[in-house]
Amino acid sequence: MATALFRDVSVPSGVAAALPSPGLAVLTADLDGDGRLDIYVANDLKPAYLFHNQGGGRFIETAVQSGAGMDATAILPAGMGIDAGDLDGSGRPSLFLTNFQNKPNLLFLNRGNLRFEDRACAPAWELRSLARLAFGTAFIDADLDGNLDIAVANGHIQRDNEKFDGTPTAQEAQLFLGDGRGHFRTCPARRRLLYRQRRPRRVAGRKVDACLAGHVPKVGRGRRPEITGFLRRWGAVELFVIPLMWPLATAMSRLPSDRHR
């Protein structure tokens, strides 16, 4: 059986040339449509990294020049979780970066040629995310309308944060419904019922609780703070969340059967 071997190419690739920063999340995606995977990294209180793939295993860091390093007001993000996908029907992957409490989550729409527009400055978007400390995130089509939606797991870093500033440690997850044109609205309470809590079960020997879509506060993260992704079963969408101090959590959509086809 062949053994996978890795070698450190941080220096020859150019990645090591970037100033050191505390990275918390990373993804790879072809952000400029040249057929090569680029690397995007969320950093804590430092500009994000965008390593543009030059080919031949070489990268150049271009996040600030591309408009995806920090928000439009030049405030440094406390980058926690990230995802990429076509949010506005352009065919280009835009970037979403979760942020610390009292800082808006950042939405960078991809305008082509490795240029991004910060949409987090929109007042409605700010108000929806300021009250929570966001960690993991995943793009899913939660209501199966053909448009990507955004799921966010929230939770404070202080175990007894209520004693410090009155903000709860356990915080509700959020689901933002997309219209396919780069605009989002908070999933209303009545539609959260589209996601039902599953009965506790066991995955890999561990008990799995059920909570998402905003109706049960949790500290939504794990040792690596993230929503781990989504699964499609029988046309439904299932989210799998790693909370802190709680059992693992899942939530599965329950939509009319004709929406599953």
Side-chain angles (χ1 to χ4, degrees), residues 34-197:
D34 64 358
R36 296 189 287 259
L37 288 177
D38 308 299
I39 305 172
Y40 188 71
V41 182
N43 293 317
D44 187 13
L45 295 180
K46 296 285 185 179
Y49 292 145
L50 196 169
F51 294 104
H52 184 212
N53 194 332
Q54 307 295 295
R58 293 282 302 170
F59 294 84
I60 296 177
E61 204 289 299
T62 63
V64 174
Q65 302 93 306
S66 299
M70 61 188 79
D71 70 19
T73 62
I75 295 177
L76 294 174
M80 303 291 188
I82 48 179
D83 206 351
D86 181 8
L87 301 176
D88 59 0
S90 66
R92 298 182 294 265
S94 294
L95 297 166
F96 181 74
L97 186 150
T98 60
N99 212 342
F100 204 82
Q101 192 158 304
N102 297 321
K103 292 186 176 183
N105 294 330
L106 302 181
L107 174 61
F108 297 111
L109 291 184
N110 191 334
R111 296 310 190 190
N113 299 316
L114 214 64
R115 304 298 302 176
F116 293 86
E117 177 190 352
D118 173 25
R119 294 293 298 273
C121 56
W125 182 261
E126 283 195 9
L127 292 175
R128 289 195 293 262
S129 60
L130 285 177
R132 293 172 174 83
L133 198 163
F135 271 87
T137 185
F139 293 172
I140 62 172
D141 183 3
D143 51 3
L144 302 182
D145 64 352
N147 303 316
L148 285 178
D149 310 305
I150 303 175
V152 180
N154 300 304
H156 211 283
I157 59 175
Q158 300 281 0
R159 286 180 180 264
D160 299 313
N161 195 65
E162 294 90 342
K163 299 178 181 178
F164 299 97
D165 62 10
T167 303
T169 298
Q171 299 176 5
E172 293 179 346
Q174 291 174 291
L175 183 61
F176 301 106
L177 301 177
D179 65 359
R181 298 186 297 274
H183 302 100
F184 293 85
R185 58 189 176 88
T186 304
C187 181
R190 61 182 175 82
R191 295 198 64 187
R192 290 175 190 165
L193 295 177
L194 294 174
Y195 269 78
R196 64 180 174 84
Q197 296 187 9

Side-chain angles (χ1 to χ4, degrees), residues 195-198 210-213 237-240 249-253:
Y195 269 78
R196 64 180 174 84
Q197 296 187 9
R198 299 191 57 170
C211 73
L212 201 69
V237 181
E238 182 171 336
L239 287 164
F240 189 71
T250 62
M252 187 173 68
S253 64

